[in-house]
Amino acid sequence: MSFLFGNRSSKTFKPKKNIPEGSHQYELLKHAEATLGSGNLRMAVMLPDGEDLNEWVAVNTVDFFNQINMLYGTITDFCTEESCPVMSAGPKYEYHWADGTNIKKPIKCSAPKYIDYLMTWVQDQLDDETLFPSKIGVPFRRNFMSVAKTILKRLFRVYAHIYHQHFDSVMQLQEEAHLNTSFKHFIFFVQEFNLIDRKELVPLQELIDKLTTKDR
């Protein structure tokens, strides 16, 4: 949540996606921030009583986009065409970009290019009122959950790239506590609602085991 970052002026990679104040989703976001503040992440990710699962997933997906946006924004100077000619998460895992619309056949590209494609694509989904309705009473589309799962699967890849390729830079910037807390929150959330296939999480499985074991 944004409170993790205090009032520091952080540059974000893409413009922050705001949830309109006064909306029900804004109230849900405030509820989530309050429960996160208690420090119990397992409790914080649970669906609040009486709330709609789609809306809860939507609010949190927007928030994870903002968090990753901020985290990646801190290390963009280190993630360049030269340092990261391919989008990878360690030596065994390489990601090629396709969005099914503009780029149908997966293309190999540098990490900064891939992440730019990815975050722009996510932003387009979040800005689509038919997918992420911000007005009360507007129903979610039938395919909302499958789109949300794809968004979260792709956002995970940014965490994976940062941990594998840029953790030294994160430590130099003293951002590791923010990164770990954000990622732990993300993992607890996707585990709670089975939103990412286990095989997709393999590049960070050891870290996931370490971060989640003591909270079981």
Side-chain angles (χ1 to χ4, degrees), residues 177-190:
H178 293 138
L179 176 62
N180 288 340
T181 307
S182 174
F183 181 63
K184 189 173 177 180
H185 177 205
F186 178 89
I187 284 301
F188 280 14
F189 189 81
V190 299

Side-chain angles (χ1 to χ4, degrees), residues 1 3-4 31-48 56 60 64 180-182 184-189 191-192 211-216:
M1 291 295 176
F3 81 89
L4 291 173
H31 167 86
E33 286 186 356
T35 49
L36 270 176
S38 72
N40 187 333
L41 287 171
R42 281 274 178 230
M43 293 283 290
V45 299
M46 289 178 181
L47 180 66
W56 185 236
N60 282 277
F64 289 127
N180 288 340
T181 307
S182 174
K184 189 173 177 180
H185 177 205
F186 178 89
I187 284 301
F188 280 14
F189 189 81
Q191 286 178 341
E192 176 73 12
L211 289 175
T212 58
T213 303
K214 56 182 177 286
D215 288 274
R216 285 196 179 122

Side-chain angles (χ1 to χ4, degrees), residues 157-176:
R157 294 170 182 178
V158 184
Y159 280 119
H161 180 72
I162 293 172
Y163 271 112
H164 276 284
Q165 313 302 136
H166 299 293
F167 195 66
D168 286 350
S169 302
V170 169
M171 286 179 70
Q172 276 174 24
L173 295 164
Q174 299 183 317
E175 295 285 347
E176 67 269 28

Side-chain angles (χ1 to χ4, degrees), residues 72 75-91 93-96 107-117 157-170:
Y72 186 67
I75 57 109
T76 48
D77 290 346
F78 308 101
C79 187
T80 64
E81 300 278 332
E82 292 72 33
S83 68
C84 303
V86 294
M87 174 63 178
S88 61
Y93 302 98
E94 190 175 299
Y95 300 112
H96 295 179
I107 58 167
K108 185 172 179 173
C109 55
S110 68
K113 190 78 181 155
Y114 184 101
I115 293 169
D116 190 25
Y117 279 135
R157 294 170 182 178
V158 184
Y159 280 119
H161 180 72
I162 293 172
Y163 271 112
H164 276 284
Q165 313 302 136
H166 299 293
F167 195 66
D168 286 350
S169 302
V170 169

Side-chain angles (χ1 to χ4, degrees), residues 5-16:
F5 301 95
N7 293 316
R8 293 179 305 122
S9 61
S10 291
K11 83 173 183 183
T12 58
F13 179 59
K14 296 280 177 191
K16 188 169 180 281

